[in-house]
Amino acid sequence: KQEVTQIPAALSVPEGENLVLNCSFTDSAIYNLQWFRQDPGKGLTSLLLIQSSQREQTSGRLNASLDKSSGRSTLYIAASQPGDSATYLCAVFYQGGSEKLVFGKGTKLTVNP
Amino acid sequence: DGGITQSPKYLFRKEGQNVTLSCEQNLNHDAMYWYRQDPGQGLRLIYYSQIVNDFQKGDIAEGYSVSREKKESFPLTVTSAQKNPTAFYLCASSGSSGAQETQYFGPGTRLLVL
């Protein structure tokens, strides 16, 4: 079964800390992997998209990596700020028939001032 | 300003009532999607449409219906057959079928049952 798992479900860190969010997926046959941010009661905002052929993508203080062989992706956030507090969702576009993103349940990040 | 709009922000449904959630995009995207989000769960796909006048069922289509008469609009109807409709509903769109494209999301509609 094509699944996406995010651990931990919640994470609390002090401001300024560098942190890593983890995402694992069950099948290496993917088109791409995407990281999204969701604020409470809001829609999703796309952060980074990594194509199957890529190893990483960077945007500002964010860096996402992709290792298909191990079925893992990490989202690295440098110098965290209270404004980074949100739920971060990982989603994988698997190959093989169903044209859809499969989402993890997310990691709720709290950055304390 | 390009984007996706959803209305209403909150919607209340009475027993046995059908309700329709609106989703409009001005991004000129071909593909549109409806997701349901429940607390502590990932997003689950209800329906998607890759082109006007065509749509496919997602993982949890029972009790829902959609139409795609215009490229920019993809309304979702929650029918009385959906016994547990309370959830947060998210609409999304992408430039093509989505295999290589980022999906852009609307602000969501929260549906509550009276």
Side-chain angles (χ1 to χ4, degrees):
Chain A
K1 186 179 179 184
Q2 294 172 331
E3 297 180 332
V4 176
T5 302
Q6 292 184 251
I7 296 173
L11 181 64
S12 182
V13 301
E15 182 176 3
E17 190 164 298
N18 301 327
L19 60 99
V20 173
L21 305 180
N22 296 296
C23 172
S24 61
F25 48 96
T26 52
D27 187 344
S28 61
I30 68 172
Y31 287 117
N32 62 51
L33 182 145
Q34 302 180 35
W35 283 94
F36 294 89
R37 168 184 172 140
Q38 186 176 29
D39 292 292
K42 307 290 186 183
L44 276 63
T45 300
S46 178
L47 297 173
L48 291 164
L49 181 152
I50 310 176
Q51 301 291 0
S52 176
S53 58
Q54 297 175 319
R55 296 282 294 185
E56 65 177 349
Q57 282 284 348
T58 298
S59 176
R61 293 183 294 109
L62 305 179
N63 176 276
S65 68
L66 175 65
D67 184 344
K68 287 192 301 178
S69 61
S70 66
R72 293 175 189 261
S73 175
T74 61
L75 179 66
Y76 174 83
I77 302 177
S80 59
Q81 303 170 357
D84 294 329
S85 298
T87 296
Y88 290 82
L89 295 158
C90 173
V92 173
F93 210 114
Y94 283 107
Q95 297 180 14
S98 66
E99 291 279 318
K100 64 173 187 176
L101 277 172
V102 177
F103 283 83
K105 295 181 180 180
T107 294
K108 183 177 181 180
L109 173 66
T110 302
V111 181
N112 301 300
Chain B
D1 232 356
I4 301 176
T5 57
Q6 291 186 242
S7 62
K9 186 173 182 179
Y10 295 96
L11 186 58
F12 299 91
R13 194 189 90 163
K14 295 179 182 177
E15 194 77 31
Q17 187 182 39
N18 293 350
V19 293
T20 297
L21 286 62
S22 169
C23 177
E24 304 275 332
Q25 54 98 359
N26 61 4
L27 300 168
N28 199 33
H29 283 170
D30 287 315
M32 297 187 74
Y33 310 82
W34 274 107
Y35 294 91
R36 170 178 172 144
Q37 187 176 36
D38 294 280
Q41 298 217 22
L43 276 68
R44 292 182 289 169
L45 184 65
I46 305 173
Y47 269 98
Y48 65 101
S49 168
Q50 295 172 300
I51 197 169
V52 174
N53 292 322
D54 187 44
F55 48 82
Q56 287 77 41
K57 292 181 179 180
D59 297 321
I60 54 165
E62 185 174 349
Y64 300 96
S65 66
V66 293
S67 62
R68 187 82 186 279
E69 297 176 2
K70 298 187 294 183
K71 186 176 185 178
E72 59 270 23
S73 179
F74 191 40
L76 173 74
T77 296
V78 183
T79 74
S80 57
Q82 173 49 243
K83 297 307 179 187
N84 184 24
T86 298
F88 190 50
Y89 291 86
L90 289 160
C91 179
S93 70
S94 63
S96 63
S97 66
Q100 303 294 326
E101 303 257 357
T102 296
Q103 290 190 13
Y104 295 88
F105 283 77
T109 292
R110 188 166 299 280
L111 177 60
L112 300 166
V113 177
L114 295 176

